[in-house]
Amino acid sequence: MTKPAVLILLGPPGAGKGTQARMLEEKFGLVQLSTGDLLRAAVAAGTEAGKAAKAVMEAGKLVSDEIVVNILRDRLAQPDCARGVILDGFPRTTVQAKALDALLAESGQSINAAINLEVDDAAMVTRISGRFTCCDCGEGYHDTFKAPVAVGKCDKCGSTNMKRRADDNAETVASRLVAYHEQTAPLIAYYKARDVLKSIDAMGDIDTIAADLAAIVKQATA
Ligand code: ADP
Ligand code: ADP
Ligand code: ZN
């Protein structure tokens, strides 16, 4: 049996990782693993990890490597991950990248590709400030760039229940960009040195980026 694919989407907050990961999930049958979503679920459930993460997330800082790696390890152990995974928002530090290498090695797996979505800081702020999500199916939207066909109604599931994230405000976005440049951007060199880095221009429209990504994923999982 072939080993399950492991793809990483790298990129700053608002680059489009979640949007593209959902599209890849549909196209390739892979499972999207978003540590941001897993952490928000832990906060909502009031678990110990969630309690520790809440204030850190609200401040736009990174949650501790220990908490995030534990959450990811548990999720990776679930049976659906045998379909192959797209990591969205993980790893975000070199410590996490090394922990991921070790976790994958335990099951004889390795990274097929780490794909860097390149966007400039100004685009991230515009993307984040217009972002909202369907509460029922998780589909992501944008006030300008991806508005639902019928105002306020989810294209995918018809729900009119939409939410905006508490950390998607101008002040927190500034700290998230600092965290990205200081702690996450070094991963580009980390994966380049391991010969798995791919980069794509993520300043274009959603469908063009999706087509570029699909070509890379096809090649990396062939
Ligand atoms: P990330 O997961 O990297 O933080 P998202 O996928 O949530 O980013 O995208 C951030 C916001 O930008 C969302 O509102 C999304 O609809 C919108 N968006 C995503 N990709 C693009 C794009 N290529 N052009 C314009 N807006 C986009
Ligand atoms: P975005 O891509 O828009 O920044 P995420 O949903 O990926 O949003 O992350 C939201 C917040 O959750 C981050 O600002 C951070 O506090 C926390 N978080 C998510 N993933 C990680 C991670 N791998 N390591 C540390 N903190 C994380
Ligand atoms: Zn929906």
Side-chain angles (χ1 to χ4, degrees):
M1 204 179 94
T2 51
K3 285 179 212 153
V6 180
L7 297 154
I8 296 173
L9 290 187
L10 283 176
K17 302 181 296 296
T19 303
Q20 296 296 339
R22 282 177 74 89
M23 293 170 87
L24 287 174
E25 206 173 40
E26 282 179 17
K27 222 178 274 179
F28 292 91
L30 300 163
V31 176
Q32 173 195 14
L33 299 187
S34 155
T35 42
D37 286 348
L38 293 170
L39 286 166
R40 280 183 287 280
V43 170
T47 64
E48 282 310 308
K51 280 183 205 152
K54 188 171 188 284
V56 181
M57 292 171 77
E58 279 167 4
K61 303 240 165 74
L62 293 187
V63 174
S64 78
D65 291 325
E66 193 191 351
I67 288 179
V68 180
V69 170
N70 281 336
I71 283 187
L72 188 87
R73 180 189 294 115
D74 290 350
R75 182 65 187 86
L76 267 179
Q78 288 173 24
D80 60 336
C81 293
R83 291 184 353 229
V85 296
I86 312 157
L87 299 174
D88 154 17
F90 182 94
R92 255 173 155 100
T93 64
T94 307
V95 171
Q96 292 177 18
K98 288 184 177 157
L100 176 64
D101 288 341
L103 262 180
L104 294 175
E106 280 170 22
S107 52
Q109 287 178 269
S110 56
I111 293 161
N112 295 69
I115 309 164
N116 186 34
L117 304 187
E118 296 178 329
V119 288
D120 56 44
D121 283 13
M124 295 177 220
V125 177
T126 318
R127 287 186 188 180
I128 288 174
S129 55
R131 167 161 63 189
F132 61 98
T133 309
C134 172
C135 298
D136 293 307
C137 75
E139 185 68 4
Y141 291 98
H142 190 279
D143 292 324
T144 314
F145 306 126
K146 192 186 162 190
V149 176
V151 180
K153 192 172 164 191
C154 178
D155 296 341
K156 291 266 160 162
C157 77
S159 170
T160 51
N161 224 348
M162 299 285 181
K163 62 183 175 198
R164 287 183 197 261
R165 275 167 48 181
D167 59 343
D168 278 352
N169 60 72
E171 225 169 88
T172 310
V173 167
S175 345
R176 284 158 64 197
L177 290 188
V178 171
Y180 169 76
H181 287 295
E182 287 182 1
Q183 294 170 274
T184 309
L187 294 180
I188 297 170
Y190 181 92
Y191 287 117
K192 189 163 197 261
R194 279 156 186 76
D195 223 16
V196 289
L197 184 76
K198 306 274 176 202
S199 291
I200 63 170
D201 177 3
M203 290 297 288
D205 63 76
I206 293 174
D207 290 334
T208 307
I209 298 163
D212 291 349
L213 257 176
I216 291 176
V217 170
K218 222 176 241 169
Q219 200 189 25
T221 56

